[in-house]
Amino acid sequence: MGTSLRTTLLTWLILTAFSLTIFYSNILPLYSHSKPSSLPLPVPCNLFRGKWVFDPTRRRPIYDETCPFHRNAWNCIRNQRDNMDRINSWKWVPEKCQLYDIDPVEFMGKMRDKNIGFIGDSLNENFLVSFLCTLRAADLGAKKWKRKGAWRGAYFPKFNVTVAYHRAVLLAKYEWQPKQSEITEGIEVRGVHRVDVDIPAKEWADIGGFYDVVIFNTGHWWGYDKFPKESPLAFYEGGKPIVPAPDMLGGLQIVLKNMAAHIHKEFPKTTLKFWRLQSPRHFYGGDWNQNGSCLSRDPLKESELELWFDPSNNGVNKEARLINQVIIKTLQETDIELLDLTHLSEFRADAHPATWLGKKDAVSVWGQDCMHWCLPGVPDTWVNVLSQLIRYRLGTR
């Protein structure tokens, strides 16, 4: 075979191999799975691990005490909470990526004709208020909104966007039931709070088609301080008591499983679904009803976090990590994305309303508030994280 012919044949073989490689690299992914995964794609960087950096020159909060969506007890500027400038001079800096401050106008432009819903307890309401006051900077014509079972919210006419909160502290339906059930026989109780673990609370059961983004939470009511032995939770499924009766965390796990199934069935696949993990408490020297306080001037050091929050230490603030363990385990393999705001919030023992609650006798009646957060404050960082994740998710569709 001549040199020219061999060269021509070799060139043809190389080109054929290259063409086949390109062809199969494009076609094989189409057949690599029997069906596409419904789980969220990995986020390009971890916004949840990092540190707080003191920066007195950072941008001032977008809103102040005049925001019409405030809740009185969290309006720390109006209530003259000490050190508010210092509280808002700490910036969360993720380890390996950039967290951007929200641009309300740009974000609302992306959200035009879409709706955002928060479902859960008052810590999600705390989150909502920060979000509403921040977004109002883009539309001063925002109006209070309360429909479709919503506890509170706002409509932004400039962008045709609704952001609202549906109060459902256990997520499942629950109601007071005087002592009469077989489940309380032989137990000294006044009655029970019946929880139907397979029925969503009516406040959010039928909202699936309305919201384009939903943020769920629960946990702060799943404790014996809210439901003591004299008036416990009693768990029902299919209309009948669950036997043997689960403990509090076992009941939470059953509710989470059923609520996730309801979300999967009733909410469109295109809806962005987030589950906010626990907002940590910072009671020092006792729980909320035991003269616990939170008068810290600065965030905790990382070396202090395990002492405050590790369940093995059995401290008064262990609930967040305990409940997170149940949530993470139960929601695996769902299309609900975990919004892990726990760790970044654990540092901020300095940023609660504490004794600055706006009412003269509030502390003597309820104790210091070391659970909710001053506004403006830490929830504004939650807003930055959530808005960045929403923008990424919308951009990857």
Side-chain angles (χ1 to χ4, degrees):
M1 183 180 296
T3 302
S4 176
L5 182 59
R6 284 198 301 269
T7 302
T8 301
L9 180 60
L10 181 60
T11 302
W12 180 84
L13 288 172
I14 291 171
L15 289 174
T16 300
F18 180 76
S19 299
L20 287 171
T21 300
I22 295 296
F23 174 80
Y24 284 111
S25 68
N26 282 293
I27 198 71
L28 282 177
L30 300 176
Y31 299 96
S32 60
H33 301 285
S34 58
K35 61 179 181 178
S37 171
S38 62
L39 301 181
L41 293 169
V43 176
C45 65
N46 187 349
L47 298 172
F48 308 124
R49 305 298 298 188
K51 61 183 179 181
W52 290 94
V53 175
F54 187 72
D55 179 7
T57 66
R58 73 175 302 232
R59 183 183 74 174
R60 296 296 88 193
I62 290 175
Y63 61 95
D64 59 20
E65 73 275 16
T66 64
C67 172
F69 303 115
H70 258 302
R71 181 164 167 175
N72 291 338
W74 308 332
N75 192 344
C76 287
I77 297 177
R78 195 199 63 183
N79 296 337
Q80 300 183 332
R81 185 359 172 157
D82 283 353
N83 299 322
M84 282 300 292
D85 282 345
R86 187 172 181 81
I87 285 171
N88 285 294
S89 292
W90 292 94
K91 180 179 181 179
W92 178 249
V93 180
E95 289 176 352
K96 296 181 180 180
C97 58
Q98 182 75 30
L99 175 62
Y100 299 99
D101 288 332
I102 186 174
D103 178 334
V105 174
E106 189 269 349
F107 177 77
M108 290 293 272
K110 296 284 187 185
M111 294 304 299
R112 185 178 299 277
D113 301 325
K114 295 181 174 64
N115 302 317
I116 302 172
F118 291 78
I119 301 98
D121 60 34
S122 59
L123 271 301
N124 251 11
E125 183 183 3
N126 208 179
F127 196 171
L128 168 100
V129 173
S130 170
F131 210 27
L132 294 183
C133 289
T134 298
L135 297 182
R136 180 175 174 267
D139 185 359
L140 294 178
K143 303 172 183 178
K144 293 182 179 180
W145 186 93
K146 186 176 179 180
R147 274 175 282 175
K148 291 185 179 289
W151 179 266
R152 63 184 302 192
Y155 175 66
F156 298 84
K158 186 175 178 181
F159 300 92
N160 190 31
V161 169
T162 297
V163 183
Y165 162 66
H166 297 255
R167 179 177 169 84
V169 297
L170 301 182
L171 293 182
K173 174 186 175 184
Y174 87 100
E175 60 187 3
W176 172 252
Q177 187 169 283
K179 185 178 179 180
Q180 60 185 12
S181 167
E182 64 273 21
I183 203 168
T184 63
E185 188 174 347
I187 305 175
E188 291 297 322
V189 298
R190 295 184 287 109
V192 299
H193 290 91
R194 170 174 169 162
V195 182
D196 286 277
V197 298
D198 49 349
I199 302 176
K202 61 180 175 55
E203 287 78 8
W204 71 278
D206 300 318
I207 64 172
F210 184 71
Y211 293 107
D212 303 277
V213 181
V214 287
I215 304 96
F216 293 92
N217 94 299
T218 190
H220 294 280
W221 281 64
W222 291 86
Y224 294 104
D225 57 334
K226 296 289 188 182
F227 300 104
K229 293 180 179 179
E230 299 79 28
S231 54
L233 296 179
F235 299 103
Y236 284 68
E237 190 164 19
K240 297 179 180 180
I242 298 177
V243 180
D247 63 10
M248 189 78 75
L249 290 181
L252 170 62
Q253 188 168 21
I254 298 170
V255 165
L256 290 172
K257 182 178 179 181
N258 281 291
M259 297 305 104
H262 174 83
I263 293 165
H264 179 76
K265 179 182 177 183
E266 299 296 334
F267 284 69
K269 296 220 182 312
T270 54
T271 301
L272 295 182
K273 308 171 189 76
F274 295 95
W275 200 290
R276 184 184 59 72
L277 295 183
Q278 293 307 93
S279 169
R281 313 179 319 160
H282 287 92
F283 288 100
Y284 179 79
D287 214 330
W288 65 273
N289 54 355
Q290 301 167 336
N291 296 317
S293 66
C294 48
L295 299 175
S296 303
R297 178 176 173 80
D298 291 315
L300 299 176
K301 297 179 175 63
E302 186 150 14
S303 60
E304 298 175 289
L305 298 187
E306 300 307 302
L307 181 63
W308 278 68
F309 300 108
D310 192 318
S312 65
N313 292 320
N314 203 34
V316 296
N317 301 301
K318 66 180 183 294
E319 103 180 349
R321 293 191 183 183
L322 275 175
I323 290 173
N324 278 354
Q325 291 170 7
V326 178
I327 294 171
I328 293 168
K329 179 180 178 182
T330 309
L331 296 183
Q332 287 177 346
E333 303 304 316
T334 72
D335 66 345
I336 303 171
E337 185 169 348
L338 295 179
L339 189 61
D340 186 3
L341 301 174
T342 306
H343 178 67
L344 70 86
S345 305
E346 284 182 343
F347 292 92
R348 298 305 304 274
D350 60 314
H352 297 282
T355 60
W356 291 273
L357 300 174
K359 289 187 178 181
K360 181 179 178 182
D361 300 322
V363 175
S364 61
V365 174
W366 299 106
Q368 290 191 33
D369 187 349
C370 303
M371 176 182 290
H372 300 98
W373 301 90
C374 277
L375 296 177
V378 169
D380 303 326
T381 296
W382 299 355
V383 167
N384 289 339
V385 172
L386 177 62
S387 63
Q388 193 159 320
L389 289 174
I390 290 173
R391 292 178 74 256
Y392 171 73
R393 287 290 174 224
L394 292 176
T396 56
R397 288 187 167 175

Coordinates of all heavy atoms in Angstrom, one line a residue, residues 185-243:
E185 N -57.4 7.5 78.4 CA -57.9 6.7 79.5 C -56.8 6.3 80.5 O -55.8 5.8 80.1 CB -58.6 5.4 79.0 CG -59.3 4.6 80.0 CD -60.1 3.5 79.4 OE1 -60.2 3.4 78.2 OE2 -60.5 2.6 80.2
G186 N -57.1 6.6 81.8 CA -56.1 6.3 82.8 C -55.0 7.3 83.0 O -54.1 7.1 83.8
I187 N -55.1 8.4 82.2 CA -54.0 9.4 82.3 C -54.7 10.7 82.8 O -55.8 11.0 82.4 CB -53.4 9.7 80.9 CG1 -52.9 8.4 80.2 CG2 -52.3 10.7 80.9 CD1 -52.4 8.6 78.8
E188 N -54.0 11.3 83.7 CA -54.5 12.5 84.3 C -54.3 13.7 83.4 O -53.2 14.4 83.4 CB -53.8 12.8 85.7 CG -54.2 11.8 86.8 CD -55.7 11.8 87.1 OE1 -56.2 12.9 87.1 OE2 -56.3 10.7 87.3
V189 N -55.2 14.0 82.6 CA -55.1 15.1 81.6 C -56.5 15.9 81.6 O -57.5 15.3 81.9 CB -54.8 14.7 80.2 CG1 -53.4 14.0 80.2 CG2 -55.9 13.7 79.6
R190 N -56.4 17.1 81.2 CA -57.6 17.9 81.0 C -58.2 17.7 79.7 O -59.4 17.9 79.5 CB -57.3 19.4 81.2 CG -56.8 19.8 82.6 CD -56.6 21.3 82.6 NE -55.4 21.7 81.9 CZ -55.4 22.4 80.8 NH1 -56.5 22.7 80.2 NH2 -54.2 22.7 80.2
G191 N -57.4 17.2 78.8 CA -57.8 16.9 77.4 C -56.6 16.8 76.6 O -55.5 16.8 77.1
V192 N -56.8 16.7 75.3 CA -55.6 16.5 74.4 C -55.7 17.5 73.2 O -56.8 17.9 72.9 CB -55.5 15.1 73.8 CG1 -55.3 14.1 75.0 CG2 -56.7 14.7 73.0
H193 N -54.6 17.7 72.6 CA -54.6 18.4 71.3 C -54.5 17.4 70.2 O -53.4 16.8 70.0 CB -53.4 19.4 71.2 CG -53.6 20.6 72.1 ND1 -53.1 20.6 73.4 CD2 -54.2 21.8 71.9 CE1 -53.4 21.8 73.9 NE2 -54.0 22.5 73.1
R194 N -55.6 17.1 69.6 CA -55.6 16.0 68.6 C -54.9 16.5 67.3 O -55.2 17.5 66.7 CB -57.1 15.6 68.3 CG -57.2 14.7 67.1 CD -58.6 14.2 66.9 NE -58.7 13.6 65.6 CZ -59.7 12.7 65.2 NH1 -60.7 12.5 66.1 NH2 -59.8 12.2 64.0
V195 N -53.9 15.7 66.9 CA -53.2 16.0 65.6 C -53.5 14.9 64.6 O -53.2 13.8 64.8 CB -51.7 16.0 65.9 CG1 -50.9 16.4 64.6 CG2 -51.3 17.0 67.0
D196 N -54.1 15.3 63.5 CA -54.4 14.4 62.4 C -53.2 14.5 61.5 O -53.1 15.4 60.6 CB -55.7 14.8 61.7 CG -56.9 14.4 62.5 OD1 -57.3 13.2 62.4 OD2 -57.5 15.3 63.2
V197 N -52.3 13.5 61.6 CA -51.0 13.6 61.0 C -51.1 13.5 59.5 O -50.1 13.9 58.8 CB -50.1 12.4 61.5 CG1 -49.8 12.5 63.0 CG2 -50.7 11.1 61.1
D198 N -52.2 13.1 58.9 CA -52.3 12.9 57.5 C -53.2 14.0 56.8 O -53.6 13.9 55.7 CB -52.9 11.5 57.1 CG -54.1 11.2 57.9 OD1 -54.4 11.9 58.9 OD2 -54.8 10.2 57.6
I199 N -53.6 15.0 57.6 CA -54.4 16.1 57.1 C -53.7 17.4 57.3 O -53.4 17.9 58.4 CB -55.8 16.1 57.8 CG1 -56.5 14.8 57.7 CG2 -56.6 17.3 57.3 CD1 -57.8 14.7 58.5
P200 N -53.4 18.2 56.2 CA -52.8 19.5 56.4 C -53.7 20.5 57.0 O -54.9 20.4 56.9 CB -52.5 19.9 54.9 CG -52.6 18.7 54.1 CD -53.6 17.8 54.8
A201 N -53.2 21.4 57.8 CA -54.0 22.5 58.4 C -54.7 23.2 57.3 O -54.1 23.4 56.2 CB -53.1 23.4 59.2
K202 N -55.9 23.6 57.5 CA -56.8 24.2 56.5 C -56.2 25.5 56.0 O -56.5 26.0 54.9 CB -58.2 24.5 57.0 CG -58.3 25.4 58.2 CD -59.7 25.6 58.7 CE -59.8 26.4 59.9 NZ -59.2 27.8 59.9
E203 N -55.3 26.1 56.8 CA -54.7 27.4 56.4 C -53.8 27.3 55.1 O -53.6 28.3 54.5 CB -53.9 28.0 57.5 CG -54.7 28.6 58.7 CD -55.2 27.5 59.6 OE1 -54.9 26.3 59.5 OE2 -56.0 27.8 60.5
W204 N -53.4 26.1 54.8 CA -52.5 26.0 53.6 C -52.8 24.8 52.8 O -52.2 24.6 51.7 CB -51.0 25.9 54.1 CG -50.6 24.7 54.7 CD1 -50.8 24.3 56.0 CD2 -49.9 23.5 54.1 NE1 -50.3 23.1 56.3 CE2 -49.7 22.6 55.1 CE3 -49.5 23.3 52.8 CZ2 -49.1 21.3 54.9 CZ3 -48.8 22.1 52.6 CH2 -48.7 21.1 53.6
A205 N -53.9 24.1 53.1 CA -54.2 22.8 52.4 C -54.4 23.0 50.9 O -54.2 22.2 50.1 CB -55.3 22.1 53.0
D206 N -55.0 24.2 50.5 CA -55.4 24.4 49.2 C -54.7 25.5 48.4 O -55.3 26.1 47.5 CB -56.9 24.7 49.2 CG -57.7 23.6 49.8 OD1 -57.4 22.4 49.5 OD2 -58.7 23.9 50.6
I207 N -53.5 25.8 48.8 CA -52.8 26.9 48.2 C -51.8 26.5 47.1 O -51.0 27.3 46.5 CB -52.0 27.7 49.2 CG1 -50.9 26.9 49.9 CG2 -53.0 28.3 50.3 CD1 -50.0 27.7 50.8
G208 N -51.8 25.2 46.8 CA -50.7 24.6 45.9 C -50.6 25.3 44.5 O -49.4 25.5 44.1
G209 N -51.7 25.7 43.9 CA -51.5 26.3 42.6 C -51.3 27.8 42.6 O -51.1 28.4 41.5
F210 N -51.2 28.4 43.8 CA -51.1 29.9 43.9 C -49.7 30.4 43.9 O -49.4 31.4 43.3 CB -51.9 30.4 45.1 CG -51.9 31.9 45.2 CD1 -52.7 32.7 44.3 CD2 -51.2 32.6 46.2 CE1 -52.7 34.1 44.4 CE2 -51.2 34.0 46.3 CZ -52.0 34.7 45.4
Y211 N -48.8 29.7 44.6 CA -47.5 30.2 44.8 C -46.5 29.6 43.9 O -46.5 28.4 43.6 CB -47.0 30.0 46.3 CG -47.8 30.8 47.3 CD1 -48.7 30.2 48.1 CD2 -47.6 32.2 47.4 CE1 -49.5 31.0 49.0 CE2 -48.3 32.9 48.3 CZ -49.2 32.3 49.1 OH -50.0 33.1 50.0
D212 N -45.5 30.4 43.4 CA -44.4 29.9 42.6 C -43.2 29.5 43.4 O -42.4 28.7 43.0 CB -44.0 31.0 41.6 CG -45.2 31.4 40.8 OD1 -45.5 30.7 39.7 OD2 -45.8 32.4 41.1
V213 N -43.1 30.1 44.6 CA -42.1 29.7 45.6 C -42.7 29.5 47.0 O -43.5 30.4 47.4 CB -41.0 30.8 45.7 CG1 -39.9 30.4 46.7 CG2 -40.4 31.1 44.3
V214 N -42.4 28.5 47.7 CA -42.9 28.2 49.0 C -41.8 27.9 50.0 O -40.8 27.2 49.6 CB -44.0 27.1 49.0 CG1 -45.3 27.6 48.4 CG2 -43.5 25.8 48.4
I215 N -41.9 28.4 51.2 CA -40.9 28.2 52.2 C -41.6 27.6 53.4 O -42.4 28.4 54.1 CB -40.1 29.4 52.6 CG1 -39.5 30.1 51.4 CG2 -39.1 29.2 53.7 CD1 -40.3 31.2 50.7
F216 N -41.4 26.4 53.8 CA -42.0 25.7 54.9 C -41.1 25.8 56.1 O -39.9 25.8 56.0 CB -42.4 24.3 54.6 CG -43.4 24.1 53.6 CD1 -43.1 24.0 52.2 CD2 -44.8 24.1 53.9 CE1 -44.0 23.8 51.2 CE2 -45.7 23.9 52.9 CZ -45.4 23.8 51.6
N217 N -41.7 25.7 57.3 CA -41.0 25.4 58.5 C -41.9 24.9 59.6 O -43.1 25.1 59.5 CB -40.2 26.6 59.1 CG -41.0 27.4 60.1 OD1 -42.1 27.9 59.9 ND2 -40.5 27.5 61.3
T218 N -41.4 24.2 60.5 CA -42.1 23.8 61.8 C -41.1 23.3 62.7 O -39.9 23.0 62.3 CB -43.2 22.7 61.5 OG1 -44.0 22.6 62.7 CG2 -42.5 21.4 61.2
G219 N -41.4 23.3 64.0 CA -40.5 22.8 65.0 C -40.6 23.5 66.3 O -40.4 22.8 67.4
H220 N -40.8 24.8 66.4 CA -40.8 25.5 67.6 C -42.0 25.2 68.6 O -41.9 25.5 69.7 CB -40.7 27.0 67.4 CG -39.4 27.4 66.8 ND1 -38.2 27.5 67.5 CD2 -39.0 27.6 65.5 CE1 -37.2 27.8 66.6 NE2 -37.7 27.9 65.4
W221 N -43.0 24.6 68.0 CA -44.1 24.2 68.8 C -44.1 22.7 69.2 O -44.9 22.2 69.9 CB -45.4 24.5 68.1 CG -45.8 25.9 68.2 CD1 -45.2 27.0 67.7 CD2 -47.0 26.4 68.8 NE1 -45.9 28.1 67.9 CE2 -47.0 27.8 68.6 CE3 -48.1 25.8 69.5 CZ2 -48.0 28.7 69.1 CZ3 -49.1 26.7 70.0 CH2 -49.0 28.1 69.8
W222 N -43.1 22.0 68.7 CA -42.9 20.6 69.0 C -42.1 20.4 70.2 O -41.0 19.9 70.2 CB -42.3 19.8 67.8 CG -43.2 19.8 66.6 CD1 -43.4 20.7 65.6 CD2 -44.2 18.8 66.3 NE1 -44.3 20.4 64.7 CE2 -44.8 19.1 65.1 CE3 -44.5 17.5 66.9 CZ2 -45.8 18.3 64.5 CZ3 -45.5 16.7 66.3 CH2 -46.1 17.2 65.1
G223 N -42.7 20.8 71.4 CA -42.0 20.7 72.6 C -42.9 20.6 73.8 O -44.1 21.0 73.7
Y224 N -42.5 20.1 74.9 CA -43.3 19.9 76.1 C -43.6 21.2 76.8 O -44.5 21.2 77.7 CB -42.7 18.8 77.0 CG -42.7 17.5 76.4 CD1 -41.5 17.0 75.9 CD2 -43.8 16.7 76.2 CE1 -41.4 15.7 75.2 CE2 -43.8 15.5 75.6 CZ -42.6 15.0 75.1 OH -42.6 13.7 74.5
D225 N -43.0 22.3 76.4 CA -43.3 23.6 77.0 C -44.6 24.1 76.4 O -45.4 24.7 77.0 CB -42.2 24.6 76.8 CG -41.8 24.8 75.4 OD1 -42.0 23.8 74.6 OD2 -41.3 25.9 75.0
K226 N -44.9 23.7 75.1 CA -46.1 24.1 74.4 C -47.2 23.1 74.7 O -48.4 23.5 74.8 CB -45.9 24.2 72.9 CG -44.9 25.2 72.5 CD -45.5 26.6 72.6 CE -44.5 27.7 72.0 NZ -45.1 29.0 72.2
F227 N -46.9 21.9 74.8 CA -47.9 20.8 75.1 C -47.5 19.9 76.2 O -46.9 18.9 76.0 CB -48.1 20.0 73.8 CG -48.6 20.8 72.6 CD1 -47.7 21.1 71.6 CD2 -49.9 21.3 72.5 CE1 -48.0 21.9 70.5 CE2 -50.3 22.0 71.4 CZ -49.4 22.3 70.4
P228 N -47.7 20.4 77.5 CA -47.3 19.7 78.6 C -48.1 18.4 78.9 O -49.1 18.2 78.1 CB -47.5 20.7 79.8 CG -48.5 21.6 79.3 CD -48.3 21.7 77.8
K229 N -47.8 17.6 79.8 CA -48.4 16.3 80.1 C -49.9 16.5 80.4 O -50.7 15.6 80.2 CB -47.7 15.6 81.3 CG -46.3 15.2 80.9 CD -45.7 14.4 82.1 CE -44.3 14.0 81.7 NZ -43.6 13.3 82.9
E230 N -50.3 17.7 80.9 CA -51.7 17.9 81.3 C -52.6 18.1 80.0 O -53.8 18.0 80.1 CB -51.8 19.1 82.2 CG -51.1 19.0 83.5 CD -49.6 19.2 83.4 OE1 -49.2 20.0 82.5 OE2 -48.8 18.6 84.2
S231 N -51.9 18.5 78.9 CA -52.7 18.7 77.7 C -51.8 18.4 76.5 O -51.4 19.2 75.7 CB -53.2 20.2 77.6 OG -52.0 21.1 77.7
P232 N -51.5 17.1 76.4 CA -50.5 16.6 75.4 C -51.1 16.6 74.0 O -52.2 16.8 73.7 CB -50.2 15.2 75.9 CG -51.5 14.7 76.5 CD -52.1 16.0 77.1
L233 N -50.1 16.3 73.0 CA -50.5 16.0 71.7 C -51.0 14.5 71.6 O -50.3 13.7 72.2 CB -49.4 16.2 70.7 CG -48.8 17.6 70.5 CD1 -47.7 17.6 69.6 CD2 -49.9 18.6 70.1
A234 N -52.0 14.3 70.9 CA -52.5 12.9 70.6 C -52.6 12.7 69.1 O -53.3 13.5 68.4 CB -53.9 12.7 71.3
F235 N -51.9 11.7 68.6 CA -51.7 11.6 67.2 C -52.7 10.6 66.6 O -52.8 9.5 67.1 CB -50.3 11.1 66.9 CG -49.2 12.1 67.3 CD1 -48.5 11.9 68.5 CD2 -49.0 13.3 66.6 CE1 -47.5 12.8 68.9 CE2 -48.0 14.2 67.0 CZ -47.3 14.0 68.2
Y236 N -53.4 11.0 65.5 CA -54.4 10.2 64.8 C -54.0 10.1 63.4 O -53.4 11.0 62.8 CB -55.7 10.9 64.9 CG -56.5 10.8 66.2 CD1 -56.0 11.4 67.3 CD2 -57.6 10.0 66.3 CE1 -56.7 11.4 68.5 CE2 -58.3 9.9 67.5 CZ -57.8 10.6 68.6 OH -58.5 10.5 69.8
E237 N -54.3 9.0 62.8 CA -54.0 8.7 61.4 C -55.2 7.9 60.8 O -55.6 6.9 61.4 CB -52.7 8.0 61.1 CG -52.3 7.9 59.6 CD -50.9 7.6 59.5 OE1 -50.3 7.0 60.4 OE2 -50.4 7.8 58.4
G238 N -55.8 8.4 59.7 CA -56.9 7.7 59.1 C -58.1 7.8 60.1 O -59.0 7.0 60.1
G239 N -58.1 8.9 60.9 CA -59.2 9.1 61.9 C -59.1 8.3 63.1 O -60.0 8.3 64.0
K240 N -58.1 7.5 63.3 CA -57.9 6.6 64.5 C -56.6 6.9 65.2 O -55.6 7.3 64.6 CB -58.0 5.1 64.1 CG -59.3 4.7 63.4 CD -59.2 3.2 63.0 CE -60.5 2.8 62.4 NZ -60.5 1.4 61.9
P241 N -56.6 6.7 66.6 CA -55.4 7.0 67.3 C -54.3 6.1 66.8 O -54.5 4.9 66.5 CB -55.8 6.6 68.8 CG -57.3 6.7 68.8 CD -57.7 6.3 67.4
I242 N -53.1 6.6 66.8 CA -51.9 5.8 66.4 C -51.5 5.0 67.7 O -51.3 5.6 68.7 CB -50.7 6.7 65.9 CG1 -51.1 7.4 64.6 CG2 -49.5 5.8 65.7 CD1 -50.1 8.4 64.1
V243 N -51.4 3.7 67.5 CA -51.0 2.8 68.6 C -49.9 1.9 68.2 O -49.9 1.3 67.1 CB -52.2 1.9 69.1 CG1 -51.8 1.0 70.2 CG2 -53.4 2.8 69.5

